[in-house]
Amino acid sequence: MGAARQVAVAVRWNFLGFLQNPRIILTFLFSFILCFFLSGRAMTVAKYYDSPVQAFEPFIWTFGDATSVLLCAMLLILLFMDLPKLSPFTPYLLLRMKKSRWLMAQLIYIVLVTCFYMLSVLLFTGILCMEKTYPGNIWSKTAALLAYSEMGRELSVPSTVKVMESTSPVECSLQIVLLLTCYALSLGFLMLLFQMRLGKKAGIAAGLSYSLFGFLLDPKALAALLHKEDYQMYQIRRIVGWLSTLNHATYGMHDFGYDVLPSIGESCLLFLLLLGVLACLSFRTLKNYHFHSFTGE
């Protein structure tokens, strides 16, 4: 109980002044603006067919492709720029708890901030599109029309027959939130590791490189580079679907019984393994970490 209480105190200290921090406020403001622009596709579809959509469908259509996932996760770099949390109070904590407990508090802080951020994204999307939504957990006629037409593909809306056959809107949106959270956590843990090893600039560079790696492993770009024809695209999608963490975080890049792609469970398992490796490396790094600055922000 003593160890858990110490970790809880450190986590609570990390959240002091959280909502008053200008950088945090800007991050959530940019998140709202991002949702406003990306949800335009969902509203375009609803207005085109002049029919209501299920409350979670705008979120599913907004964050169902890799580019939207990447843009959403990139804002987390702003949230995690100050990791690990160092302030004049840090020496007081370190004198009264083990370094490992202090680091555990940083990891828990990343988890809580990520979950809070993802829930806010879900809320923003719902608010922006609530004019033409209904609460029932049933796919709308608009989703069915998109699944059987070319408009969904043209607007990059991930409404497909295989998705509608395998899950409900609420379950689908929860799976997307889970995948987004796993990707965001891997980004946060990676930034923490590099910031402890090489400094804050290295942590930011690691976060940007992690995002750039996923962006460059785009199936279309890779197919053009390897001179693949359209009928060979399934091979590229299969390779990228397993290698890219960004594609593991993209709902449409998973196996629904028709493709040789990772399932939702397999992607979550791979993210958990990655998070475990990053956490272990962070604990090892902590042994040689020098707390040379407690000036705060």
Side-chain angles (χ1 to χ4, degrees), residues 106-285:
Q106 309 305 310
L107 299 179
I108 293 175
Y109 170 79
I110 294 175
V111 173
L112 294 178
V113 169
T114 301
C115 293
F116 180 63
Y117 175 77
M118 291 306 166
L119 289 176
S120 70
V121 169
L122 180 61
L123 178 64
F124 292 156
T125 308
I127 292 175
L128 289 168
C129 302
M130 65 184 302
E131 180 184 358
K132 286 186 171 291
T133 59
Y134 63 88
N137 189 22
I138 302 175
W139 293 104
S140 66
K141 293 181 179 180
T142 305
L145 290 171
L146 285 171
Y148 288 99
S149 69
E150 292 295 324
M151 186 177 181
R153 183 178 301 176
E154 293 173 358
L155 294 174
S156 299
V157 174
S159 177
T160 60
V161 177
K162 59 184 180 182
V163 172
M164 297 176 65
E165 288 178 347
S166 60
T167 184
S168 64
V170 173
E171 184 181 353
C172 181
S173 61
L174 291 177
Q175 290 175 347
I176 292 176
V177 170
L178 177 61
L179 293 172
L180 279 170
T181 303
C182 288
Y183 181 79
L185 287 176
S186 64
L187 175 64
F189 279 36
L190 180 68
M191 289 184 64
L192 176 63
L193 174 62
F194 274 83
Q195 285 171 185
M196 291 177 62
R197 280 183 174 270
L198 302 172
K200 291 191 175 182
K201 291 183 180 179
I204 297 173
L208 293 173
S209 300
Y210 184 70
S211 302
L212 182 63
F213 173 75
F215 178 75
L216 292 177
L217 279 183
D218 179 72
K220 293 182 180 179
L222 196 59
L225 183 64
L226 297 177
H227 304 289
K228 295 291 185 178
E229 301 294 337
D230 290 341
Y231 69 90
Q232 296 175 307
M233 280 297 295
Y234 76 95
Q235 298 175 343
I236 301 299
R237 283 194 293 268
R238 184 186 305 176
I239 295 172
V240 171
W242 282 98
L243 291 181
S244 172
T245 52
L246 178 61
N247 282 279
H248 277 288
T250 305
Y251 185 78
M253 290 296 295
H254 289 84
D255 195 333
F256 298 97
Y258 303 93
D259 308 302
V260 187
L261 291 170
S263 64
I264 301 293
E266 289 171 338
S267 291
C268 291
L269 179 59
L270 288 173
F271 274 120
L272 287 176
L273 292 174
L274 177 60
L275 292 175
V277 171
L278 292 174
C280 291
L281 292 175
S282 297
F283 278 106
R284 291 189 61 181
T285 303

Side-chain angles (χ1 to χ4, degrees), residues 63-78:
F63 295 99
D65 66 318
T67 303
S68 300
V69 172
L70 179 62
L71 292 174
C72 180
M74 284 284 286
L75 290 176
L76 284 168
I77 295 177
L78 290 175

